Amino acid sequence: MQIALAPMEGLVDDILRDVLTQVGGIDWCVTEFIRVTERLLPEHYFHKLASELLNGSKTRAGVPLRVQLLGSDPVCLAENAAFAAELGAPVIDLNFGCPAKTVNKSRGGAVLLKEPELLHSILEHVRRAVPAHIPVTAKMRLGYDSTEPALDCARALEAGGAEHIVVHARTKVDGYKPPAHWEWIGKIQDVVKIPIIANGEIWTVDDWRRCREICGARDIMIGRGLVARPDLGRQIAAAEAGREVVEMTWQELQPLIREFWLQALAKMTRVQAPGRLKQWVVLLTKSYPEATVMFDSLRRETDCERISQMLGVTESAAA
């Protein structure tokens, strides 16, 4: 079984990837999407969103990183994919699942699920441009406003050369509203020969068990569930292996929160850093009642020095 940390724009950046992969239970992770329009992106842009490329394409914990591209121009995507491979990307992933209105309006993400022929063309171009030993994969939703095109889209991606497909079991219109339609993952697996990875609405070990029972998928990708419960991958791996599931306590999580804050101080402006910390703590409230208390104390705080004092860290450690 493979457990992957999902790419989430504006949330799962290199800082959070570093912190979450230290916990264990994550086999690989993916960058936030790198937006490709009409030019070859410069090297520094790849390094900005995928700093792990400078560390052998792995997080400090040794978890491999895949580079995700988003766009609609097959030729331009192929050129950027080839460059990402030159920079050390071990896998190129293509985004056909982003539901953001601004992305869809500029013909990227889930809106492309209306055009299976274009999906095939993109995969085919990228596959030809990238060295044969580097896998090309894709992530998709079930469709834009209905599940009708799901099977055709999966077939198109497979025919174009995708090594596997991550399926977020909702449409674009569904957004992140429950439920995730896990049964569709099984339907898609029935019409393609490549592996299908299940994604969507896995928050607990019980959710994982139900997902596997409904769709039969062996491998999973988790986004918000791992951000809200950093040891969820470790819990699921233990359950799958028949070992006792021991949940991380709030106290055990504190060093990770401090590490996150120190990295935010080092890499972001003093205006940005507090917001990023609050963003994570809000999601932690889904799993830890103590996080609600922390968020209430942080809610209106913007002074980085005071936040550091609240967390019990010295800002000199962020240098």
Side-chain angles (χ1 to χ4, degrees):
M1 181 180 64
Q2 294 280 298
I3 301 173
L5 173 60
M8 298 188 71
E9 186 196 11
L11 177 62
V12 185
D13 58 3
D14 58 351
I15 299 175
L16 196 52
R17 291 194 297 267
D18 177 77
V19 170
L20 293 179
T21 55
Q22 290 180 41
V23 178
I26 297 172
D27 295 293
W28 46 272
C29 53
V30 188
T31 65
E32 300 168 90
F33 67 72
I34 296 174
R35 184 75 165 99
V36 174
T37 52
E38 54 189 22
R39 66 187 178 96
L40 182 62
L41 295 169
E43 182 175 342
H44 71 82
Y45 191 78
F46 283 93
H47 289 157
K48 177 183 177 183
L49 290 176
S51 65
E52 295 93 338
L53 290 172
L54 299 169
N55 186 44
S57 299
K58 294 181 179 180
T59 68
R60 284 193 301 166
V63 175
L65 174 82
R66 303 179 177 193
V67 172
Q68 185 180 86
L69 304 179
L70 178 148
S72 58
D73 184 325
V75 174
C76 195
L77 280 165
E79 291 174 349
N80 279 276
F83 187 44
E86 288 179 22
L87 294 176
V91 178
I92 301 296
D93 187 57
L94 297 167
N95 181 318
F96 304 112
C98 179
K101 289 182 180 179
T102 53
V103 170
N104 290 175
K105 283 182 179 178
S106 56
R107 209 172 178 224
V111 73
L112 298 183
L113 296 170
K114 295 180 177 181
E115 304 177 69
E117 299 86 358
L118 179 56
L119 300 188
H120 178 270
S121 179
I122 290 172
L123 257 294
E124 195 171 48
H125 277 76
V126 171
R127 179 64 277 172
R128 283 202 303 259
V130 171
H133 69 279
I134 294 180
V136 177
T137 63
K139 185 178 183 186
M140 61 174 275
R141 282 179 174 249
L142 298 178
Y144 187 81
D145 51 10
S146 79
T147 57
E148 185 176 347
L151 302 184
D152 286 341
C153 287
R155 290 188 187 102
L157 294 171
E158 178 185 42
E163 182 156 309
H164 72 233
I165 305 170
V166 176
V167 176
H168 184 148
R170 287 181 272 230
T171 66
K172 182 273 178 194
V173 172
D174 289 335
Y176 293 96
K177 293 181 302 218
H181 305 289
W182 294 326
E183 68 277 6
W184 270 94
I185 296 172
K187 293 178 182 179
I188 291 171
Q189 186 65 84
D190 287 343
V191 302
V192 298
K193 294 183 175 62
I194 58 175
I196 299 299
I197 297 174
N199 175 229
E201 215 59 27
I202 297 174
W203 297 91
T204 66
V205 172
D206 285 342
D207 290 338
W208 161 70
R209 289 192 176 105
R210 286 194 297 271
C211 176
R212 185 176 63 172
E213 181 180 346
I214 290 170
C215 70
R218 174 176 174 81
D219 303 326
I220 57 173
M221 175 177 278
I222 310 174
R224 293 174 301 155
L226 264 169
V227 179
R229 193 181 300 271
D231 66 328
L232 180 56
R234 197 169 68 186
Q235 290 184 33
I236 292 172
E240 199 270 344
R243 301 192 304 269
E244 181 184 4
V245 175
V246 180
E247 298 182 6
M248 175 181 279
T249 66
W250 178 247
Q251 184 176 1
E252 291 170 332
L253 183 56
Q254 297 315 294
L256 294 178
I257 294 175
R258 289 193 285 268
E259 172 68 16
F260 178 89
W261 175 241
L262 288 171
Q263 288 197 43
L265 285 175
K267 294 185 176 184
M268 298 177 177
T269 69
R270 297 179 76 84
V271 172
Q272 295 170 323
R276 290 292 283 114
L277 176 64
K278 294 171 192 177
Q279 183 187 35
W280 186 24
V281 174
V282 165
L283 274 163
L284 288 174
T285 63
K286 293 181 176 292
S287 304
Y288 295 95
E290 300 94 332
T292 301
V293 178
M294 175 178 280
F295 180 71
D296 287 343
S297 64
L298 289 171
R299 184 191 300 269
R300 294 179 177 81
E301 188 58 74
T302 58
D303 184 276
C304 291
E305 186 173 348
R306 285 198 293 268
I307 293 174
S308 293
Q309 292 171 352
M310 291 165 60
L311 297 179
V313 301
T314 58
E315 292 200 26
S316 60

